[in-house]
């Protein structure tokens, strides 16, 4: 399975799982209402963002910074709750490979995001402020 295929499959599973959680949340308490509202908001946002995603590249090309962060967080939560089925040796192997591949995708997403941040931070500050602050302290 390619990274693009795994990304699309994972996002589809995430949407399905959230819908199932929403359908299962039947309570009438304030907490249940808030949970349902949160699930509905997440589903609405996923419904808006997921159609834009055709693969890994589209995460960078089609999504703004907040959408990218939201999708990365969804994938991270999915990975944290990823179920590896050990009842069948073939399924176990497939699930372990998917988990490893998903981990690699997330690592790349966060690594690329960090590199962009590092570059922006460097451009915003050339370090002169730090040098000037150090000189002022030395002069006191």
């Amino acid at each position: 399975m390619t990274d693009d295929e795994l990304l699309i499959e994972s996002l589809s599973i995430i949407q399905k799982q959230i819908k199932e959680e929403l359908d299962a949340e039947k309570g009438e308490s304030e907490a249940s209402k808030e949970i349902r509202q949160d699930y509905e908001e997440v589903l609405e946002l996923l419904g808006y963002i997921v159609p834009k995603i055709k693969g890994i590249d589209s995460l960078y090309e089609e999504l703004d910074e907040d959408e990218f962060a939201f999708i990365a967080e969804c994938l991270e939560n999915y990975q944290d709750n990823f179920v590896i089925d050990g009842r069948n040796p073939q399924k176990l192997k497939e699930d372990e490979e998917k988990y490893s591949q998903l981990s690699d995708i997330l690592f790349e997403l966060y690594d690329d995001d960090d590199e962009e941040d590092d570059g922006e931070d460097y451009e915003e500050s050339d370090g002169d402020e730090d040098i000037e602050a150090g000189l002022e302290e030395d002069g006191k």
Side-chain angles (χ1 to χ4, degrees), residues 118-137:
D118 290 345
E120 291 173 7
D121 290 345
Y122 183 74
E123 291 173 9
E124 290 175 9
S125 168
D126 59 7
D128 287 346
E129 296 87 17
D130 296 333
I131 294 170
E132 291 171 4
L135 291 175
E136 289 176 8
E137 286 180 13

Side-chain angles (χ1 to χ4, degrees), residues 7 9 16 19 23 26 29 33 37 41 51 68 70 74 96-97 101 111 114 116 119 135-136:
L7 174 65
E9 177 184 285
K16 180 182 169 201
K19 178 146 180 31
D23 291 344
K26 304 277 187 211
S29 69
K33 290 177 183 176
Q37 184 177 0
E41 289 172 4
F68 181 93
F70 175 75
C74 287
E96 287 175 337
E97 288 173 0
Q101 189 176 0
D111 189 46
D114 288 345
E116 288 178 16
L135 291 175
E136 289 176 8

